[in-house]
Amino acid sequence: MLKQMEGSRAVAEAVALCRPEVVCAYPISPQTHIVEAVGEMVKDGSLSPCEFINVESEFAAMSVAIGSSATGARTYTATASQGLLFMAEAVYNASGLGLPIVMTVANRAIGAPINIWNDHSDALSQRDSGWLQIFAETNQEALDLHIQAFRLAEELSLPIMVCMDGFILTHAYERVDMPTQEQVDAYLPKYEPRQVLDPADPVSIGAMVGPEAFMEVRYLAHAKQMEALKLIPAYAAEFKAVFGRDSGGLVHTYKADDADTIVVAMGSVLGTIKDVVDEMREAGHKIGVLGITLFRPFPITQVRAALQGAKRVVVLEKSMAIGLGGILAVNVRMALSALPIDVYTVVAGLGGRAITMRSLHALFRKAEKDDIDPITFLDLNRAVVDKQLERERATRRSGPAAEAILRDIGVVAAKLA
Amino acid sequence: MSFQPVKFYQTGTFTVGNRLLPPEQRSVQSQEKRYNSINSGHRACQGCGEALGARYAIDAAMEATNGRLICANATGCLEVFSTPYPETSWQMPWIHSVFGNTAAVATGIAAALKVKRQQGERRNIRVVAQGGDGGTTDIGFGCLSGMFERNDDVLYICYDNGGYMNTGIQRSSATPPAARTATTMAVGPEPGNVFGQGKFLPAIAMAHEIPYVATATVADLRDLEAKVRRAMEFQGARYIHILVPCPLGWGTASHDTIRIARLAKETGVFPVFEAEHGEVKSVLAIRRQLPVEEYLRPQKRYAHLFGKTPQVEVIARLQALADRNIRKYGLLEGN
């Protein structure tokens, strides 16, 4: 059924259709609308039986989820940014224990300086946590990926983060096709846990493992993630059969077949990139796009296959490996090893900095001429940075750098473009 | 108290002869069909107070729930000595997640069980969470307070041995004043742990006005069993704080664990009481009051108080703290 609604509401309704049994909630922007909406459905009885628990921290949110999932309950929570970092110890524990928790990450920057706006620093900081990570491009895809996520998580006994851009998707009102309960019930079987805390068949979960077996247990986590590379296309195909639309999968190419230059990205910025590529194609440029839906496990074979015909690859990412360059770019380079393809890292949109079509046009045209740095910071105000560096050279007690930079810029409200 | 007064059955020591009691009043541990929830063969030190306390507490909880009990366990001695895979001492469903989240894991278990009951599960399965004082009063405190505040249906048991014994005897917020640990060294002008700090978590639990809070020691195991049984009669958040001497950390003889625990109670160092909805309902009275020195002297963690120049002032301050407990909880009343 077609509905006009906020992205958060769409995700909440999709999650409710998956019949979660325990949902834990702790407020953090821009995720909060999702759990608020789920909580309302629990409270008014439309989602039942389900326990909605207002916890005292994100660390508790993930810990409650661990307890309920280990007791055989389908479990959901959502977080973002600092919240994801605050729960990090339990995030690793959930995957180590093999508990199929589904969590929305409404992607947001990580402080300091504190910033509530979108980038991918939060989710990518947990890229090695053992969770599967899928990135939604649109609100429709965010909705659909949650339904697929429960199926996938429970089949593999691994937790999944469904990542959607904070504010850009979570707070955008768009038309979505909301499935029916019957469709979701037909697609998503009952949760049958591999291990469960049950007095009738007592097990010890989470005991210590020493050097004699730790490698094997950890390798198994890797092997199970790799299974997702086969399951996801199959589940996406099945999803299409039940719901009538393409959603999910590993990667998606756009006008990439004959492209000399391919832009790689994740999440909602793919829409802007495709618009730019459309315009450049009309002007005769051989440029295409590779959208990465599945970040963990990283679909290395599919990425290589999609990019190997290109002369150059521009990885545009909303994240940064400080001291190195990009995070997504490093993964893409891994997929392209030994191929004679130039890979450019473009860090863009940090802390909600708008990624405009104008900037992308200029960037891609320069990239086509191999006229960009190996690592580029899109729309970075170099003058402001240089001024701060000069200040720090001149004065020992130069004060908080962020404040000084904002004083130099001279605006209080965010200047986006 | 909800059990037969101890004095009546005194057998010459402070123990109670089970043979003198009618079968229905005998301890859980005296029964042939006790649960052995934490089975023999674990790796606890000789004389471990925590192993003893856990055995009595969890078996009593198992008895109260007809074996329908799930346990969440914090990181610490109890977790490590009872479990390295593929072995486990736990004859019950048991989960260890991380150090600081045990109360929250238990909340999740309780929530899942509630949903399962709504879906037709007929068994009334309950939840117990347990950890040491570090996992409870320090790193797990946020999750514990959250669980209390939501009044989740969890019994949380803290085994308090006054420090991080598993990591090598470091100070926790439950380490008593003047005690020597690896991080409150017995050197300098004020050796040992500082005065005026530390948390008495039972009082903090009571401030949450949860249905039931109790303290106990491994010297009064009938009392401990009775309190666990009583705790399981309540729905909602419950907290039992058990003083468990640690021969390794306290520098006491393995065979003195119960004696030291009894001295903690008889000196007033550790008040034994139970409270409902934030109000003290009963205390385990001191039978024969002793000076704190009797409790301190056998413990090497206080050896610096009894050197060539005895630290009379420090001992007096510790005595004052015990006296305050005695006044505050009325520990001499009823004798």
Side-chain angles (χ1 to χ4, degrees):
Chain A
M1 184 183 170
L2 293 176
K3 289 180 175 178
Q4 183 80 13
M5 63 169 72
E6 193 196 35
S8 295
R9 179 82 204 179
V11 166
E13 290 194 11
V15 167
L17 289 171
C18 295
R19 303 184 188 274
E21 293 165 301
V22 175
V23 174
C24 352
Y26 188 79
I28 182 167
S29 299
Q31 153 278 145
T32 313
H33 288 181
I34 302 172
V35 287
E36 283 172 359
V38 175
E40 191 178 16
M41 287 182 259
V42 174
K43 190 137 198 200
D44 72 14
S46 55
L47 172 55
S48 176
C50 178
E51 281 291 292
F52 180 77
I53 303 172
N54 285 297
V55 290
E56 76 285 352
S57 73
E58 288 92 355
F59 178 60
M62 185 47 59
S63 302
V64 168
I66 287 167
S68 64
S69 185
T71 313
R74 183 170 285 163
T75 304
Y76 171 80
T77 190
T79 192
S81 185
Q82 314 295 133
L84 184 62
L85 293 198
F86 195 59
M87 66 167 68
E89 187 191 16
V91 166
Y92 274 71
N93 189 255
S95 59
L97 293 175
L99 299 173
I101 298 158
V102 172
M103 174 163 69
T104 310
V105 178
N107 296 113
R108 168 185 150 181
I110 286 171
I114 185 170
N115 175 299
I116 65 166
W117 308 105
N118 166 247
D119 67 33
H120 292 168
S121 307
D122 50 4
L124 294 198
S125 78
Q126 300 302 304
R127 64 190 177 276
D128 302 328
S129 65
W131 286 56
L132 279 77
Q133 294 187 323
I134 43 183
F135 281 78
E137 182 180 336
T138 63
N139 283 353
Q140 182 69 59
E141 193 170 45
L143 180 168
D144 294 343
L145 287 177
H146 280 84
I147 299 166
Q148 296 185 27
F150 280 105
R151 175 95 185 263
L152 190 63
E154 290 169 10
E155 173 59 29
L156 291 170
S157 291
L158 285 178
I160 300 188
M161 289 179 206
V162 182
C163 306
M164 63 190 293
D165 285 320
F167 294 111
I168 297 168
L169 294 183
T170 55
H171 287 55
Y173 279 73
E174 279 195 327
R175 195 181 72 170
V176 293
D177 189 353
M178 187 62 64
T180 63
Q181 186 66 65
E182 292 70 33
Q183 284 175 310
V184 176
D185 287 347
Y187 181 76
L188 182 61
K190 192 172 170 294
Y191 170 37
E192 294 288 350
R194 279 194 184 272
Q195 53 180 353
V196 65
L197 295 165
D198 181 358
D201 182 19
V203 288
S204 292
I205 297 176
M208 180 174 270
V209 173
E212 65 282 359
F214 193 80
M215 283 278 287
E216 285 70 20
V217 174
R218 296 310 296 157
Y219 174 78
L220 194 62
H222 173 68
K224 284 180 71 176
Q225 270 222 357
M226 301 310 274
E227 278 180 40
L229 293 169
K230 290 192 187 113
L231 280 182
I232 287 171
Y235 285 172
E238 211 175 308
F239 187 89
K240 189 176 184 182
V242 175
F243 300 88
R245 60 179 170 272
D246 276 317
S247 250
L250 309 173
V251 299
H252 295 282
T253 54
Y254 181 77
K255 300 187 176 175
D257 285 348
D258 64 336
D260 293 332
T261 305
I262 299 180
V263 182
V264 181
M266 299 195 294
S268 62
V269 73
L270 283 163
T272 316
I273 294 171
K274 286 177 193 172
D275 284 350
V276 173
V277 164
D278 284 345
E279 289 180 7
M280 288 180 69
R281 278 279 174 181
E282 276 179 31
H285 298 265
K286 292 175 80 175
I287 185 167
V289 185
L290 175 68
I292 292 180
T293 306
L294 181 71
F295 183 69
R296 280 293 179 274
F298 194 71
I300 205 161
T301 310
Q302 291 75 12
V303 170
R304 187 179 177 93
L307 297 178
Q308 63 188 356
K311 289 182 179 149
R312 69 191 65 78
V313 169
V314 178
V315 181
L316 188 125
E317 60 176 289
K318 295 180 173 182
S319 52
M320 175 166 50
I322 296 171
L324 176 65
I327 298 171
L328 179 59
V330 169
N331 287 262
V332 170
R333 278 171 199 273
M334 178 90 182
L336 296 180
S337 59
L339 290 179
I341 301 173
D342 288 324
V343 180
Y344 299 101
T345 303
V346 180
V347 175
L350 295 186
R353 174 75 56 95
I355 301 173
T356 64
M357 290 183 67
R358 191 173 60 179
S359 295
L360 290 182
H361 265 292
L363 174 79
F364 296 159
R365 280 161 206 266
K366 283 179 82 177
E368 278 183 325
K369 296 174 195 152
D370 293 310
D371 186 26
I372 61 172
D373 293 333
I375 300 166
T376 300
F377 293 85
L378 188 68
D379 294 337
L380 180 77
N381 187 338
R382 176 63 69 181
V384 164
V385 173
D386 288 344
K387 191 168 180 186
Q388 174 61 14
L389 289 173
E390 178 52 38
R391 184 162 31 228
E392 290 179 11
R393 273 191 291 271
T395 314
R396 178 65 209 170
R397 185 171 287 193
S398 52
E403 181 183 358
I405 285 175
L406 273 166
R407 284 188 190 284
D408 288 340
I409 291 173
V411 288
V412 175
K415 183 169 178 259
L416 295 174
Chain B
M1 297 301 292
S2 52
F3 67 101
Q4 198 72 23
V6 171
K7 276 197 250 186
F8 189 73
Y9 291 104
Q10 189 174 329
T11 56
T13 68
F14 294 118
T15 61
V16 178
N18 277 307
R19 287 172 298 168
L20 297 179
L21 291 170
E24 70 275 9
Q25 288 183 11
R26 290 180 189 173
S27 71
V28 175
Q29 284 303 318
S30 72
Q31 293 166 20
E32 209 176 314
K33 290 182 179 172
R34 62 187 182 188
Y35 279 88
N36 288 321
S37 312
I38 171 168
N39 219 346
S40 58
H42 58 70
R43 294 164 171 82
C45 304
Q46 196 177 46
C48 173
E50 187 174 37
L52 180 64
R55 178 178 185 84
Y56 272 73
I58 300 300
D59 271 359
M62 286 284 272
E63 165 103 348
T65 55
N66 290 318
R68 289 163 184 171
L69 188 66
I70 294 173
C71 180
N73 206 130
T75 310
C77 280
L78 180 59
E79 168 257 327
V80 171
F81 75 62
S82 65
T83 59
Y85 276 140
E87 296 163 1
T88 179
S89 283
W90 299 100
Q91 310 297 305
M92 65 188 304
W94 180 94
I95 185 168
H96 161 251
S97 176
V98 298
F99 200 0
N101 69 353
T102 312
V105 171
T107 290
I109 296 168
L113 292 172
K114 188 174 172 188
V115 172
K116 298 294 173 194
R117 276 195 295 277
Q118 288 166 359
Q119 290 167 343
E121 165 67 58
R122 297 167 72 96
R123 296 171 298 171
N124 184 23
I125 304 169
R126 307 288 296 279
V127 191
V128 63
Q130 56 182 355
D133 51 286
T136 304
T137 70
D138 285 344
I139 197 169
F141 184 66
C143 286
L144 183 67
S145 176
M147 186 275 280
F148 286 164
E149 180 271 326
R150 291 185 301 268
N151 200 25
D152 296 324
D153 188 32
V154 173
L155 167 61
Y156 191 103
I157 300 174
C158 170
Y159 305 101
D160 174 9
N161 55 20
Y164 292 89
M165 305 320 190
N166 189 43
T167 46
I169 312 155
Q170 292 83 17
R171 174 203 185 272
S172 79
S173 61
T175 300
R180 181 248 309 148
T181 68
T183 49
T184 56
M185 298 67 86
V187 296
E190 290 175 17
N193 196 25
V194 292
F195 274 81
Q197 293 184 27
K199 295 177 196 171
F200 187 55
L201 207 78
I204 300 174
M206 284 171 61
H208 290 75
E209 301 193 356
I210 57 175
Y212 186 75
V213 173
T215 64
T217 78
V218 288
D220 293 287
L221 291 163
R222 302 297 307 272
D223 175 65
L224 170 57
E225 282 189 351
K227 282 169 175 167
V228 172
R229 203 177 297 125
R230 177 76 180 131
M232 296 313 291
E233 289 171 7
F234 291 88
Q235 298 288 321
R238 292 142 288 144
Y239 179 73
I240 298 181
H241 190 104
I242 309 172
L243 186 75
V244 292
C246 170
L248 181 73
W250 294 15
T252 51
S254 295
H255 57 75
D256 272 345
T257 295
I258 291 171
R259 185 170 78 90
I260 297 291
R262 180 169 297 117
L263 287 167
K265 180 222 158 198
E266 294 294 296
T267 52
V269 164
F270 186 80
V272 182
F273 62 91
E274 61 182 349
E276 293 176 18
H277 303 287
E279 292 178 30
V280 175
K281 290 289 179 188
S282 73
V283 300
L284 204 55
I286 291 172
R287 292 167 57 85
R288 191 177 60 187
Q289 192 187 0
L290 294 165
V292 292
E293 199 177 323
E294 298 278 324
Y295 168 71
L296 302 173
R297 199 178 272 279
Q299 303 183 44
K300 289 204 181 74
R301 64 175 172 161
Y302 296 113
H304 54 279
L305 303 181
F306 301 101
K308 283 178 188 162
T309 326
Q311 302 288 305
V312 180
E313 279 179 27
V314 176
I315 296 166
R317 287 181 78 180
L318 291 168
Q319 182 65 57
L321 290 176
D323 292 344
R324 191 182 67 181
N325 278 339
I326 290 168
R327 278 198 312 277
K328 189 173 173 184
Y329 293 97
L331 300 178
L332 287 176
E333 287 164 22
N335 280 352

